Amino acid sequence: MRAFVALDLPEEVRQRLNLLAFMLPLPRRVPPETMHLTLAFLGEIPEAVAEEAHHAFEAIHAPAFALTLAGVGLFGGAQARAAFAGVAPEPLLAHLARKVETAARRAGAPPEARRFVPHVTLGRFRPGEADAARLERAVVEHQGFAAGPFAVRDFVFYRSHLWAEGAHHEELARYTLG
Ligand code: 2AM
């Protein structure tokens, strides 16, 4: 199965992010109900490994924290391929992401080695699909975006189903932070 670990976002934050996404000239937008903050992408893993990972995530002890979303950015530089909302620095978020990564690795599901840049993706597209100049101007214009702070009390193990209409995220388990 295709699996990842993420923070779910409060409904009002997803609505704010959806409004932000509509202020940007994006070819496609992530539907607000599937917006999330990825902690670790495990990729395709066998069910037995997912079971192991679940037990490892259950054993994580990490504090709850407050999170603020701030700013807007593009991944891919001149060849932009995604727009995202940024996250104000929060050491407890990085701490949690490290714990999830270590747990997944121990369970035999080493996450992607890309550096942890906390973000919430608003839209993904192929390079060249978006009007880069307009998009960059809109991103600069909306740098003042902020949402929260909101309480992060748990994290979620998701299974991702890829359908023609887009991704559907099935919640496998939710783990409470202390
Ligand atoms: P993204 O928000 O940066 O696109 C489920 O696919 C989640 O896992 C997405 O939110 C995605 O993050 C993240 N992810 C990280 N690495 C990925 C990869 N190589 N392929 C697909 N999704 C990835």
Side-chain angles (χ1 to χ4, degrees):
M1 67 172 81
R2 187 180 163 90
F4 66 103
V5 180
L7 300 182
D8 189 11
L9 300 167
E11 172 66 21
E12 64 272 19
V13 171
R14 281 189 273 118
Q15 292 310 328
R16 292 284 316 284
L17 289 165
N18 192 40
L19 287 176
L20 171 64
F22 273 95
M23 304 300 270
L24 306 175
L26 297 169
R28 272 183 307 283
R29 296 175 180 87
V30 174
E33 58 276 13
T34 64
M35 287 177 176
H36 58 272
L37 193 162
T38 304
L39 296 172
F41 179 68
L42 309 187
E44 286 290 335
I45 53 170
E47 274 188 35
V49 172
E51 191 72 39
E52 281 293 308
H54 166 59
H55 293 306
F57 298 150
E58 270 182 326
I60 288 178
H61 289 285
F65 52 91
L67 207 57
T68 300
L69 303 183
V72 195
L74 298 172
F75 282 134
Q79 294 282 296
R81 53 185 169 71
F84 64 89
V87 180
E90 171 47 66
L92 290 175
L93 171 64
H95 174 75
L96 175 61
R98 266 197 309 277
K99 287 210 157 183
V100 168
E101 194 201 323
T102 305
R105 192 177 302 285
R106 289 211 185 110
E112 284 230 338
R114 74 177 183 184
R115 195 166 69 89
F116 179 59
V117 180
H119 66 273
V120 180
T121 298
L122 303 171
R124 300 184 187 84
F125 40 91
R126 284 179 289 280
E129 229 184 335
D131 180 336
R134 269 184 71 217
L135 185 53
E136 275 169 28
R137 273 200 305 278
V139 163
V140 170
E141 225 175 281
H142 290 93
Q143 256 342 295
F145 171 81
F150 56 90
V152 178
R153 300 191 184 89
D154 50 25
F155 65 100
V156 184
F157 192 10
Y158 287 104
R159 175 175 185 171
S160 168
H161 299 269
L162 300 178
W163 291 337
E165 318 84 71
H168 165 73
H169 300 151
E170 177 193 353
E171 181 173 323
L172 298 176
R174 193 174 278 261
Y175 314 95
T176 305
L177 296 169

